[in-house]
Structure formats: C-alpha cells, structure tokens
Amino acid sequence: MPVIAQIFAGLAAALHVVIFAMESVWWTRPEVWKRFGLTSQQDADVARPLAYNQGFYNLFLAIGIVVGLIIGDSAGHAIVVFCCVCIVGAAVVLASTGAKYLRPAVVQGITPLLALITAAVF
C-alpha cells in the first residue's frame, strides 16, 4: 500500500478514535451531544446507550486500520481496505439520512475514501 494511502488511512483511524471518545467517553458533556444534534440532557441520556455502542464500532474500525498498517503486506492491506470500505459505507448511509448529515458524512468518509483511491491508483 502506498505511503500516501497509509497516511489517509491513519488519519481516518485517528478521527474514528476521536469519534469513539466523543460517543463512548465524553457523551455526557453538553458540548459533545449537541454536536450530534441533540437539544437536551434528557435526549442525550436516552441516546447514551446507542452512542456508547456506536462509539465502539468506530474504535474497532480504527483498531482494524492500525493493525492492518502494522501487519503490512497483502494481509494488512486487505484489513485496511476492508475497514476503509466500511467507514465509507457508513458515511454514505449517514449522508442518506438527511441534508443536515451531509457535512458529518463528508468529514467521516473523505480520508478513508482518499485512502482507497490512492491505494487503487498508485
């Protein structure tokens, strides 16, 4: 996998670790749950179990990318590609849920998409 693709994949992993922290560790902070479109502490409390679970999905994808980058060779490349495809797929699903989710979908999906494109081209 070309170095530029590895860098984009690494950036995707780093972002997803931050998303994990927001959803699973810092969710009770109003500045965090407001970023996810919630308007009250009560709504945040109701959504907390879902956010907690979703955060771990993001963490596991990030770990997959990091492990794939460490393993290297074709096996590691396959793991990185799989995780990046999953993240891009999740970004497409997010974008399909409404116009207000387009920006977060782009933020979530752009670096793994660039990793996939550069891996395919170079």
Side-chain angles (χ1 to χ4, degrees):
M1 177 175 273
V3 172
I4 189 71
Q6 292 176 12
I7 291 169
F8 284 131
L11 290 171
L15 174 64
H16 280 73
V17 168
V18 171
I19 294 170
F20 154 76
M22 289 191 311
E23 292 174 336
S24 298
V25 179
W26 303 322
W27 184 256
T28 57
R29 299 177 185 178
E31 63 272 14
V32 172
W33 51 256
K34 285 179 182 178
R35 296 191 86 181
F36 290 87
L38 299 176
T39 56
S40 72
Q41 184 65 52
Q42 182 180 1
D43 290 346
D45 292 342
V46 169
R48 188 167 192 238
L50 298 171
Y52 183 78
N53 187 22
Q54 185 170 306
F56 275 90
Y57 275 92
N58 287 305
L59 179 63
F60 298 146
L61 288 168
I63 290 170
I65 290 172
V66 171
V67 167
L69 291 172
I70 291 169
I71 291 172
D73 295 325
S74 61
H77 175 86
I79 294 169
V80 172
V81 167
F82 175 77
C83 291
C84 286
V85 167
C86 288
I87 295 170
V88 171
V92 169
V93 170
L94 182 60
S96 75
T97 60
K100 72 179 186 176
Y101 296 108
L102 186 57
R103 183 178 182 273
V106 170
V107 169
Q108 174 181 314
I110 193 69
T111 53
L113 179 61
L114 291 171
L116 293 169
I117 291 168
T118 56
V121 172
F122 296 107

